[in-house]
Amino acid sequence: NVESLVTPFTYFTMQQVRPCNLDNSGNGSRSAFDFGFPGLECLHCAGHQHPNSRRFFYRTAEILGGNYAHIPNHLLACSACPPEIKRALKEKKEAHLTLKHTLSKGSQKEFFNSVWQRLHE
């Protein structure tokens, strides 16, 4: 069960994104990635109502695991993210620092490797 590999904060954070692929809209600084490269996008601002939805692209699973903090930071600032999601995120984040020390060594890496593999299937 991949949920047990990370804290509830990390798991909940990753439930707020969905797979996407890089297209030619708003490529900007992501030009190092080829069109079609898999990434993640915010569930809340993705789609037609928000053409500038926040998307996240990472070169490797290690970079994803080391930089996923951009995702909850975005969620807390996202105008389309419901207040109850932001509230739950804040509550889970408070427990995160304590709980992450109770995880098995390497479990978060295993979790993000699993996310990476699913994106790149």
Side-chain angles (χ1 to χ4, degrees):
N1 178 357
V2 294
E3 187 173 352
S4 65
L5 296 174
V6 290
T7 66
F9 169 74
T10 300
Y11 193 77
F12 185 73
T13 294
M14 297 306 290
Q15 287 180 306
Q16 307 309 310
V17 291
R18 68 181 184 194
C20 67
N21 293 91
L22 184 63
D23 55 28
N24 61 0
S25 66
N27 188 15
S29 64
R30 299 187 191 97
S31 59
F33 296 97
D34 293 332
F35 291 136
F37 192 84
L40 299 164
E41 67 183 349
C42 174
L43 282 174
H44 307 288
C45 65
H48 303 290
Q49 299 85 359
H50 296 272
N52 298 318
S53 66
R54 184 67 165 89
R55 304 168 101 197
F56 305 89
F57 295 92
Y58 301 97
R59 177 70 54 207
T60 66
E62 291 75 22
I63 294 171
L64 166 59
N67 291 280
Y68 87 97
H70 293 114
I71 298 171
N73 291 345
H74 161 74
L75 292 166
L76 290 171
C78 179
S79 61
C81 185
E84 60 272 16
I85 298 290
K86 292 180 182 187
R87 202 166 24 258
L89 202 57
K90 287 176 187 173
E91 289 169 6
K92 292 174 189 311
K93 187 174 185 175
E94 287 179 20
H96 173 72
L97 290 174
T98 305
L99 292 174
K100 73 178 190 176
H101 298 295
T102 66
L103 298 172
S104 302
K105 185 168 172 52
S107 65
Q108 182 168 297
K109 180 179 179 180
E110 185 180 340
F111 174 81
F112 284 108
N113 282 339
S114 169
V115 170
W116 181 262
Q117 287 170 349
R118 287 179 59 197
L119 281 175
H120 289 264
E121 283 178 344

